[in-house]
Amino acid sequence: MSNSFTAHKTITPRTSRRYLLWNLVAFSCVTAVVLIQLIFTEENSVLNMTYVVTETVGPDSFDPKDADKTQNLLVMRMLYATPLEVDKDNLLKSSVLKAFHYDELAARATFELREGKRFSDGTPITIQDVALAVARSAYFHPEFPVLKNIRGVKTWANAKNGLRSLPEGLKVSGNALLIEFEQKLMNPLFRFCLEIFSIIPASCIDLDTATMTCKQPAASGYYNIRSRTDTEIIFKKRDDVVAPVDDLHTDQVSFKFLSLSEACRATIQDQTVIAGSETDFLSSDCARSVSTQQLHWMPSARFSVLRFNPNISVFSTAENRRFFAESVRQILRSRNQNLTVERSLFPKLLPGYLSESEFPPVPEMAMEFKGSKIAVPRLSGALGLAYEAISQAAEKLGMSVEVVPQISSKELVDNFVAGRFAVIAGGSGFWAQDPVGDVSMWFTKNLHKTMTFVWNDEELYRQIGALENETDATLLKQRMEALNRHIDQTSLIAPILHFRRLFVSSPNVRGLNLPQAVTSPAPWQLIVIR
């Protein structure tokens, strides 16, 4: 494999791999549950792919500010370049930078622009566009990991004066962007591959408000949208793209939006790969129609949680929330013995994991719920199982359950914050190589609206701050265990399941290239070995 950075003194494949080993996270640069159909021709020829998304519906935004939403992540990855990216061999690379470097002694990162790169409308990509991608993320999320350590960023962001000036620690010098941090960080570069740093034209940003003014900005990434309907998006590789990734032979990628059950009804041909979540797989017909040799598993780093609105009377106390969450777990245990039902936020592969016996017993609170009303959305996909368990647990406790027909993700979240839904389900994950960074990112204030009712938990953020400053491995484990117990004690969020991502192939396919640096590879990285 050729490496476009081998010739540069600032970074090598060895140091690039070291950056990743410290910084792999579950907030993947690419996340979604998909079915990928590869149409093979001769070796080294162009591939056309159909990518059927099963975990979510189509995107509701093309704004990088909304890239943290599951339905937008993969679309952002297809359309926009980020300052850095992870290749199929788990190395940091960049399509817009010719060099990047982090000087630990100076606590400074340097991004040097690759000249000649253009947006899909033909305008040049400038170092100012890269700087605005970083600055805009910091403007909206000044508490985000790495961003919060940029010199002067919090004072700058809190002033709310827009992007006409940059924080003290962001400086453009010629064709280079210098990022100065207030303290030494442990290899921070990986964070800049996340989709919230997607590069869009500066002309699409209102510098006074930092809002995006273009409905769909020109693409800076490898693909552009050729056509779009409610059920399908067809991406076409840009003619001017010269990718640093040497296996970008995919000329066209068609996203289709189906449930996993619908996707599995067809016979799995040699050119077909199905990708999904373990929970969805176990509750679908797929589990009865494939053999073990067809399954390709990612590490168990994912989890599902319940989120409670404490403003709803029946869930105003931690005791009630904890009891209801345990009632949901009991339903899930009875549904499928292969489900990994857990009370711990952290999966077993992370420090801080606690087994059921290591938590205090949950006191009986059933009488508190009888006669109360609860609205529960009806959703399909990986979270459908959780919502079914919520409904069944509520009915078992004597609650009056109103089932709400399928609604959009935005409506779901807005109704949760407003109080129509007292409890909602969600999922995320932490990657073993940087669990502290992942914890800090997941709990970043004003990042995920579903976490609204956690943001006022001062003790939670005190413990997260202590985690970020801990360097001793033994003490780190103890601090993560303490955080795990605190989360259980308050139960504003309540873990219910741990699960893996998996890919299902034809029996004739020997294996898949599954980069471990991300929780789900980009479409052009999933190489079928036959």
Side-chain angles (χ1 to χ4, degrees):
M1 173 180 173
S2 63
N3 187 319
S4 61
F5 289 102
T6 301
H8 294 284
K9 294 181 181 179
T10 53
I11 194 160
T12 67
R14 182 183 298 273
T15 56
S16 180
R17 189 180 300 276
R18 186 174 72 237
Y19 284 130
L20 284 178
L21 290 176
W22 283 100
N23 288 285
L24 305 180
V25 295
F27 181 53
S28 165
C29 287
V30 186
T31 58
V33 179
V34 298
L35 176 152
I36 305 171
Q37 180 183 10
L38 305 183
I39 303 174
F40 294 94
T41 53
E42 297 179 1
E43 185 177 1
N44 296 324
S45 63
V46 169
L47 302 177
N48 292 326
M49 307 168 62
T50 300
Y51 208 101
V52 182
V53 182
T54 66
E55 190 180 39
T56 183
V57 295
D60 60 17
S61 173
F62 292 97
D63 188 342
K65 183 174 68 71
D66 301 319
D68 62 297
K69 298 179 181 179
T70 303
Q71 65 267 32
N72 299 330
L73 278 170
L74 265 182
V75 174
M76 302 283 185
R77 178 53 55 189
M78 296 295 293
L79 292 176
Y80 306 136
T82 46
L84 302 177
E85 62 185 82
V86 181
D87 74 2
K88 69 180 183 64
D89 294 316
N90 300 311
L91 300 177
L92 278 180
K93 290 190 175 181
S94 178
S95 64
V96 295
L97 304 177
K98 69 178 181 181
F100 51 88
H101 174 64
Y102 175 62
D103 185 333
E104 186 174 355
L105 293 178
R108 182 179 60 241
T110 303
F111 293 168
E112 188 176 348
L113 186 71
R114 184 190 299 272
E115 296 181 4
K117 300 297 295 182
R118 294 181 178 275
F119 291 102
S120 58
D121 64 0
T123 58
I125 297 176
T126 68
I127 197 64
Q128 286 77 15
D129 295 317
V130 179
L132 282 177
V134 177
R136 189 165 181 256
S137 295
Y139 188 78
F140 289 113
H141 307 298
E143 296 295 330
F144 193 82
V146 176
L147 293 180
K148 66 183 178 182
N149 300 113
I150 295 176
R151 189 177 303 279
V153 73
K154 294 180 183 178
T155 301
W156 168 81
N158 290 336
K160 296 300 179 186
N161 291 326
L163 301 176
R164 291 197 178 277
S165 65
L166 299 178
E168 180 186 351
L170 284 182
K171 299 177 181 178
V172 173
S173 177
N175 272 338
L177 173 65
L178 307 180
I179 307 175
E180 298 176 351
F181 301 103
E182 293 178 341
Q183 62 189 62
K184 296 179 181 179
L185 301 176
M186 186 64 71
N187 300 322
L189 295 185
F190 179 74
R191 298 288 165 180
F192 293 101
C193 81
L194 300 177
E195 287 81 359
I196 63 168
F197 297 104
S198 293
I199 299 168
I200 61 175
S203 59
C204 283
I205 301 173
D206 183 328
L207 297 181
D208 292 318
T209 62
T211 57
M212 191 177 80
T213 57
C214 301
K215 184 176 181 181
Q216 182 184 325
S220 57
Y222 301 137
Y223 294 87
N224 208 351
I225 291 181
R226 192 182 77 178
S227 64
R228 179 190 179 198
T229 66
D230 290 341
T231 58
E232 181 179 32
I233 302 176
I234 298 178
F235 297 90
K236 183 75 173 177
K237 187 172 73 173
R238 291 172 51 195
D239 294 334
D240 60 340
V241 164
V242 179
V245 190
D246 55 345
D247 285 315
L248 188 66
H249 301 309
T250 309
D251 182 66
Q252 179 174 292
V253 181
S254 299
F255 279 21
K256 294 186 177 181
F257 302 95
L258 296 173
S259 69
L260 185 60
S261 294
E262 289 175 313
C264 286
R265 286 173 190 155
T267 302
I268 304 176
Q269 304 293 338
D270 287 355
Q271 70 273 21
T272 299
V273 176
I274 300 174
S277 75
E278 183 176 20
T279 53
D280 201 7
F281 177 78
L282 291 173
S283 60
S284 72
D285 296 337
C286 298
R288 298 193 295 268
S289 59
V290 298
S291 62
T292 302
Q293 70 185 47
Q294 294 174 254
L295 304 179
H296 312 274
W297 296 94
M298 299 292 282
S300 181
R302 307 288 296 174
F303 56 82
S304 293
V305 298
L306 303 181
R307 295 181 173 99
F308 291 95
N309 184 330
N311 297 324
I312 306 303
S313 177
V314 72
F315 294 116
S316 62
T317 67
E319 291 79 11
N320 281 13
R321 296 192 294 268
R322 192 158 53 246
F323 180 81
F324 188 86
E326 183 57 31
S327 299
V328 171
R329 295 187 197 105
Q330 290 176 5
I331 295 294
L332 290 170
R333 292 187 187 101
S334 67
R335 284 286 302 270
N336 192 317
Q337 63 180 359
N338 292 317
L339 289 173
T340 305
V341 180
E342 294 280 4
R343 195 170 161 186
S344 171
L345 179 66
F346 304 121
K348 289 183 179 179
L349 57 87
L350 297 186
Y353 169 79
L354 296 174
S355 64
E356 175 65 31
S357 62
E358 294 176 278
F359 288 100
V362 178
E364 174 66 41
M365 304 293 293
M367 293 304 297
E368 297 291 325
F369 296 88
K370 191 172 183 179
S372 298
K373 296 180 179 181
I374 185 172
V376 181
R378 178 187 291 119
L379 295 181
S380 58
L383 293 179
L385 184 65
Y387 281 110
E388 289 176 10
I390 291 172
S391 292
Q392 292 176 25
E395 290 174 352
K396 190 174 181 179
L397 292 172
M399 302 180 75
S400 174
V401 178
E402 175 195 359
V403 178
V404 180
Q406 186 99 14
I407 61 175
S408 70
S409 297
K410 184 180 186 305
E411 291 173 322
L412 176 70
V413 176
D414 289 345
N415 277 280
F416 170 63
V417 174
R420 183 183 183 193
F421 297 133
V423 56
I424 61 173
S428 190
F430 301 135
W431 213 247
Q433 284 82 352
D434 186 23
V436 174
D438 275 5
V439 169
S440 181
M441 182 165 60
W442 196 50
F443 285 104
T444 296
K445 293 182 180 181
N446 300 312
L447 180 61
H448 303 293
K449 193 175 180 180
T450 53
M451 304 288 274
T452 296
F453 301 110
V454 179
W455 295 337
N456 293 325
D457 187 344
E458 294 181 1
E459 174 60 20
L460 173 77
Y461 287 95
R462 186 197 67 78
Q463 291 195 26
I464 291 174
L467 272 180
E468 293 172 335
N469 295 319
E470 186 57 73
T471 57
D472 182 271
T474 300
L475 293 178
L476 179 66
K477 178 177 181 293
Q478 293 173 0
R479 290 189 185 281
M480 291 189 71
E481 289 175 349
L483 180 62
N484 209 352
R485 291 189 174 94
H486 175 77
I487 289 169
D488 177 75
Q489 182 181 13
T490 60
S491 286
L492 289 167
I493 58 173
I496 54 173
L497 288 170
H498 293 176
F499 62 93
R500 298 172 287 177
R501 291 196 183 281
L502 79 156
F503 293 82
V504 187
S505 70
S506 160
N508 300 324
V509 175
R510 289 193 293 111
L512 305 177
N513 180 70
L514 300 177
Q516 301 299 297
V518 291
T519 56
S520 185
W524 60 83
Q525 293 175 329
L526 192 86
I527 307 300
V528 178
I529 305 169
R530 302 175 63 184

